[in-house]
Amino acid sequence: MSKTYSISELANEFDLTTRSIRFYEDQELLHPTRRGQTRVYSSKDRVRLKLTIRGKRLGFSLAEIRELFELWDETRSGSKKQLHLMLSKIAERRAALDQQMKDITMVQLELESAEIRCRQALEELLEKQQEEEQPGKTKQALSSSSATMH
């Protein structure tokens, strides 16, 4: 008899909430059996949960993950179709990540440029303030020294 898991065992193992696991079940990614009101997850469900988490981390949608599972379930040992789909999804994800990296680099350059402009403007404002304060102090010093002379 193969090992089975309760929802709380899987939740603890994968650091998920039981609600997340039930959501994956609602999305037809997991197919536990029932013992009364209790969900009983098989080793296959455990592997599918692990692959779902990995797929999400790689940026795959739940629909894409489900599609890959369905292809796997059709053949029981995978298929050329499944592998081609997986390679296609990997290429799409890589392209999206490459674009995001370019976008991030562009935003960083724009932020750097904006920061430089802000620092320059602040420096100019501070210099202008100091110049405005300086003549006032000079006038005060001159008027107090001329008052003491008389």
Side-chain angles (χ1 to χ4, degrees):
M1 186 168 171
S2 65
K3 178 145 174 62
T4 60
Y5 305 87
S6 70
I7 194 168
S8 56
E9 287 174 323
L10 291 178
N12 288 334
E13 180 179 350
F14 294 105
D15 195 27
L16 296 172
T17 63
T18 56
R19 184 176 181 177
S20 295
I21 294 173
R22 286 191 300 272
F23 176 75
Y24 294 146
E25 184 182 337
D26 291 343
Q27 296 299 307
E28 299 180 7
L29 297 169
L30 305 174
H31 306 286
T33 57
R34 298 246 182 208
R35 229 181 265 142
Q37 294 286 28
T38 306
R39 289 172 168 85
V40 179
Y41 295 88
S42 66
S43 293
K44 180 180 175 182
D45 287 317
R46 183 186 168 280
V47 169
R48 288 172 76 117
L49 181 57
K50 186 175 185 176
L51 292 172
T52 298
I53 294 166
R54 183 179 296 155
K56 281 187 63 194
R57 191 175 58 243
L58 293 173
F60 294 122
S61 71
L62 294 181
E64 291 170 322
I65 294 167
R66 184 176 42 255
E67 184 180 7
L68 289 166
F69 285 167
E70 287 168 357
L71 286 173
W72 184 264
D73 290 343
E74 281 178 14
T75 63
R76 293 287 178 215
S77 62
S79 69
K80 201 162 57 168
K81 184 178 176 184
Q82 180 197 33
L83 294 172
H84 282 295
L85 178 63
M86 185 64 178
L87 289 171
S88 169
K89 298 292 180 189
I90 288 170
E92 286 173 17
R93 189 66 187 131
R94 271 206 177 118
L97 286 172
D98 286 342
Q99 185 59 53
Q100 286 176 330
M101 286 172 54
K102 289 175 185 171
D103 293 345
I104 288 168
T105 300
M106 184 59 70
V107 169
Q108 285 177 324
L109 290 172
E110 289 173 7
L111 286 171
E112 186 176 320
S113 175
E115 181 182 21
I116 289 169
R117 287 192 310 271
C118 286
R119 289 189 187 283
Q120 288 172 342
L122 184 59
E123 205 172 290
E124 289 171 10
L125 280 173
L126 291 173
E127 286 175 7
K128 191 175 181 181
Q129 264 183 342
Q130 285 177 348
E131 287 173 6
E132 289 172 357
E133 291 173 2
Q134 291 287 332
K137 287 181 181 176
T138 308
K139 286 179 186 175
Q140 282 180 342
L142 286 176
S143 62
S144 66
S145 64
S146 65
T148 52
M149 291 180 159
H150 289 121

